[in-house]
Amino acid sequence: RSLVTNNFHFAIQANKDEQNRTGYIEVQDMGGKVLKTITVIQGNALEEEIAKEREILIKFYYATNGDQWENKTNWCSDKPVGEWYGIKTSYNGLIYNIQFVGNFNGNNLSGHLIPELGDLSELSFLEIQFSQISGNIPEEFGKFKRLSYLNLSYNQLSGEIPTSIGQIKSLKTLDLHENQLSGEIPNSIWQIQSLESIDFSNNQLSGNLPDNISDLQTLRWL
C-alpha cells in the first residue's frame, strides 16, 4: 500500500492546422478497467499566434508606461485586442494597425519601444506620434513583412536609424522627423523600391545623400 509517484513526459508537435486537436490519456488497472481519462486539448496555430500577440501588447503597455496613458480603454483586459484602444485587427484576429496620435499628445506614451513588435506578422500600419518615446529604434523592426506605414515622429528617439529598416520591402511611408536621431542614413533605406514618402527632418543626421535617389521611381516626398 505504499504510495508510488510516476512521472510521464509527452512531446507534442506544434499544431499547424486551423482546428484544435484533442487527445486522450487513459489510466487503466491491470484488468483493463479505465480508472481515469485525461483530455489534452491543443490550440490551433492561429490561436497561439493571437495569444502571443496579446502578450506582446501587454509588454508594450508596460514598456511605455501604460498606466500613465490618457486613454487605455480595455488594455490588458480579457477582451479581444481589437477592442483595445489604438489597436485594429484583421478578420482572423491578428493585429494590422497600431495608432496613437490624437490631439497632438500621442496618448502620453513614454518609455521605449520593444523589439517584440517586430514579431507582429500582419502589422501594416504603425504610428506613434507626439509622445515621449525615447531610446533606439529596435533592429528587430526589420522583421516586419507587411508594414507599409511607419511614423514615429515627434518623439525623443535617439541613436542611429537601424540598417535593418531597409529589409522592410513593403514600406511606403517612413516618417521619423522631430526626434534626436544621429549618424548617417543607412544606404539600405534607399534600396526600398516601394517608398513613396520619407521624412527625416529635424534630427541630428549627418553624411551625404546618395547619387541614386532618383532610382526610387515611386518616391514623391523627400
Side-chain angles (χ1 to χ4, degrees):
R1 289 185 178 274
S2 62
L3 296 177
V4 177
T5 299
N6 295 304
N7 295 315
F8 298 90
H9 301 274
F10 299 89
I12 303 175
Q13 293 183 342
N15 180 9
K16 299 181 180 181
D17 297 328
E18 296 181 358
Q19 304 295 326
N20 292 347
R21 295 195 300 195
T22 303
Y24 303 95
I25 302 170
E26 290 186 348
V27 181
Q28 303 178 1
D29 64 13
M30 295 297 292
K33 179 182 177 181
V34 177
L35 303 177
K36 186 176 182 64
T37 300
I38 301 171
T39 302
V40 180
I41 301 176
Q42 184 183 34
N44 59 61
L46 179 58
E47 286 183 346
E48 292 182 2
E49 185 72 11
I50 291 173
K52 183 182 77 172
E53 292 197 345
R54 176 185 292 268
E55 293 302 314
I56 290 174
L57 287 187
I58 291 174
K59 185 172 183 178
F60 169 76
Y61 176 87
Y62 287 108
T64 55
N65 297 307
D67 290 341
Q68 305 300 319
W69 292 0
E70 293 191 7
N71 189 337
K72 47 181 178 287
T73 301
N74 293 333
W75 272 79
C76 303
S77 71
D78 58 358
K79 292 184 178 296
V81 297
E83 298 181 21
W84 296 10
Y85 174 76
I87 304 298
K88 294 180 180 179
T89 56
S90 302
Y91 68 94
N92 59 7
L94 297 177
I95 300 164
Y96 76 88
N97 186 308
I98 299 177
Q99 186 175 27
F100 296 97
V101 184
N103 299 323
F104 295 97
N105 58 29
N107 206 38
N108 197 36
L109 276 69
S110 58
H112 63 278
L113 299 171
I114 60 172
E116 289 84 355
L117 289 176
D119 292 326
L120 300 176
S121 59
E122 299 290 325
L123 192 67
S124 62
F125 193 101
L126 176 57
E127 183 171 25
I128 304 174
Q129 291 194 73
F130 301 105
S131 282
Q132 294 84 46
I133 298 292
S134 58
N136 297 335
I137 300 172
E139 284 281 349
E140 289 78 3
F141 276 22
K143 296 165 62 178
F144 287 125
K145 300 299 183 183
R146 302 194 178 188
L147 195 71
S148 63
Y149 186 93
L150 177 60
N151 188 339
L152 303 174
S153 60
Y154 293 98
N155 278 285
Q156 300 173 15
L157 294 167
S158 58
E160 298 185 356
I161 301 172
T163 302
S164 61
I165 295 293
Q167 299 173 17
I168 311 176
K169 300 305 181 183
S170 56
L171 199 60
K172 294 182 178 180
T173 297
L174 178 57
D175 191 342
L176 304 175
H177 80 281
E178 295 287 349
N179 278 285
Q180 301 169 18
L181 298 167
S182 59
E184 297 187 3
I185 301 172
N187 286 331
S188 61
I189 287 180
W190 309 113
Q191 309 301 317
I192 306 176
Q193 295 299 313
S194 58
L195 277 174
E196 298 176 358
S197 177
I198 303 173
D199 193 343
F200 296 145
S201 60
N202 292 319
N203 278 284
Q204 301 169 20
L205 298 170
S206 58
N208 299 320
L209 295 175
D211 295 332
N212 60 343
I213 288 182
S214 58
D215 291 344
L216 298 177
Q217 296 297 313
T218 60
L219 192 65
R220 56 182 175 80
W221 177 269
L222 175 60

